[in-house]
C-alpha cells in the first residue's frame, strides 16, 4: 500500500558525497532521505519502505552558513581500553578540536513524498494491512519514533499525512531538467561493507519519478 506525506522545513542539507570538507547540498531531497522520514514514523524489521515519487513544492532556495564543527571523534582504542580497565580517557575537548566550516544549504523546503510498504519477512508477509493501519494512525496523529530530519539532524522536518490529492498544491514547475547523478541509497547486501548507489535525477515540472530508475554503484 502506498502513502503520501507532505514534508517541510526551514533548512535542509542533503550532502553531496563528492564534497570532502564543506557541506554542499543536492538541489532537493534524496530518495534515502525521503525513506528515512517514513522510517522515523514507522520502522519494523519486517518491512521496507520503497520511495516511488518525490514532488518538489517550493522553489530551490540556497543559504550559505559558516558554523563550528568538531573535527575528531573519540578513539575506538581508548573506548576498548576503558571497557577492559573500567576507566580511561574518553573526553573530547571541543576547544582543541573545533573547526569552522562553510556549508551551502537549502532553505524553506517543501516536498510531497510517495512511498509504499514492502513486506520482507515475518508477520508482514501474512498481515500487511496491520502495518499500513499502524502507519496511518501514527502519521495522522503526528507520532514518530524519532524526529524526522532533512539531511542533518539539526534540520528537523514537519510532516502531515496526505490522504487525498484534492486541494493540495501543485509541484513547482520551475524545478525542471536533468540534475545529474544523485545518491539513491546504500546497498547493505554486504553489511560489513555497504556501498552507495546512484541514479540519474531527471525532474519533470517539479516531479521526480523513481519508478523504474536505473541504479548504479
Amino acid at each position: 500500500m502506498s502513502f503520501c506525506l507532505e514534508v517541510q522545513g526551514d533548512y535542509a542539507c542533503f550532502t553531496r558525497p563528492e564534497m570532502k570538507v564543506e557541506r554542499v547540498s543536492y538541489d532537493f531531497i534524496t530518495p534515502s532521505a525521503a525513506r528515512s522520514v517514513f522510517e522515523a514514523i514507522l520502522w519494523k524489521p519486517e518491512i521496507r519502505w520503497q520511495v516511488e515519487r518525490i514532488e518538489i513544492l517550493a522553489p530551490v532556495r540556497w543559504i550559505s552558513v559558516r558554523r563550528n564543527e568538531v573535527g575528531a571523534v573519540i578513539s575506538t582504542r581508548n573506548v576498548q581500553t576503558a571497557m577492559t580497565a573500567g576507566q580511561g580517557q574518553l573526553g573530547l575537548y571541543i576547544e582543541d578540536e573545533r573547526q569552522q566550516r562553510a556549508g551551502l544549504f537549502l532553505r524553506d523546503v517543501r516536498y510531497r513524498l510517495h512511498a509504499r510498504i514492502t513486506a520482507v519477512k515475518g508477520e508482514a508477509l501474512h498481515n500487511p494491512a496491520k502495518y499500513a493501519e499502524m502507519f496511518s494512525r501514527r502519521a495522522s496523529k503526528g507520532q514518530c519514533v524519532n524526529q524526522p530530519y532533512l539531511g542533518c539532524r539539526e534540520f528537523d522536518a514537519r510532516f502531515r499525512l496526505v490522504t487525498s490529492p484534492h486541494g493540495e498544491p501543485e509541484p513547482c514547475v520551475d524545478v525542471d531538467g536533468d540534475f545529474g547523478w544523485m545518491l539513491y541509497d546504500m546497498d547493505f547486501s554486504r553489511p560489513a561493507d555497504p556501498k552507495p548507489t546512484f541514479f540519474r535525477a531527471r525532474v519533470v515540472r517539479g516531479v521526480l519519478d523513481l519508478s523504474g530508475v536505473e541504479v548504479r554503484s
Side-chain angles (χ1 to χ4, degrees):
M1 183 175 181
S2 296
F3 294 94
C4 179
L5 291 175
E6 182 181 307
V7 178
Q8 58 182 315
D10 298 328
Y11 302 99
C13 181
F14 311 106
T15 308
R16 292 178 174 269
E18 65 267 25
M19 302 300 179
K20 301 300 183 182
V21 178
E22 314 292 354
R23 290 184 182 271
V24 178
S25 178
Y26 284 111
D27 294 72
F28 45 85
I29 190 170
T30 62
S32 59
R35 172 181 54 79
S36 71
V37 174
F38 286 90
E39 290 180 342
I41 300 171
L42 178 66
W43 181 88
K44 297 288 183 182
E46 304 95 319
I47 64 172
R48 294 289 184 273
W49 284 101
Q50 180 67 43
V51 179
E52 301 177 313
R53 179 184 174 99
I54 294 173
E55 298 176 17
I56 304 164
L57 305 180
V60 178
R61 299 179 62 191
W62 300 93
I63 183 172
S64 180
V65 177
R66 187 172 295 275
R67 60 181 182 172
N68 293 324
E69 297 185 6
V70 176
V73 297
I74 298 174
S75 168
T76 303
R77 182 175 299 176
N78 288 351
V79 173
Q80 293 173 339
T81 301
M83 291 174 62
T84 302
Q87 60 181 358
Q89 179 59 42
L90 297 179
L92 186 65
Y93 296 97
I94 295 176
E95 297 297 336
D96 296 337
E97 303 294 344
R98 178 175 292 164
Q99 297 179 357
Q100 194 172 72
R101 296 180 179 176
L104 188 60
F105 305 148
L106 299 170
R107 61 177 301 179
D108 302 323
V109 299
R110 190 178 181 189
Y111 308 106
R112 199 157 46 230
L113 311 176
H114 300 259
R116 61 182 172 86
I117 294 178
T118 302
V120 294
K121 63 179 180 180
E123 187 178 0
L125 295 172
H126 310 290
N127 189 14
K130 170 185 174 181
Y131 297 87
E133 293 171 1
M134 193 183 306
F135 178 82
S136 296
R137 183 174 63 253
R138 294 179 61 83
S140 61
K141 293 181 179 180
Q143 297 176 332
C144 50
V145 179
N146 56 271
Q147 177 63 47
Y149 57 90
L150 297 167
C152 296
R153 290 189 180 273
E154 60 264 40
F155 301 149
D156 63 293
R158 303 183 293 276
F159 68 90
R160 70 177 180 90
L161 181 65
V162 178
T163 56
S164 172
H166 300 293
E168 296 296 331
E170 294 295 325
C172 183
V173 296
D174 293 335
V175 185
D176 188 90
D178 189 336
F179 288 83
W181 292 99
M182 175 180 276
L183 177 68
Y184 183 77
D185 214 328
M186 298 297 293
D187 180 6
F188 289 97
S189 56
R190 297 177 59 188
D193 186 27
K195 299 290 186 182
T197 57
F198 299 86
F199 75 108
R200 195 80 181 185
R202 295 182 174 90
V203 179
V204 180
R205 298 178 65 83
V207 177
L208 177 63
D209 188 358
L210 295 169
S211 58
V213 296
E214 182 180 356
V215 179
R216 298 183 181 180
S217 300

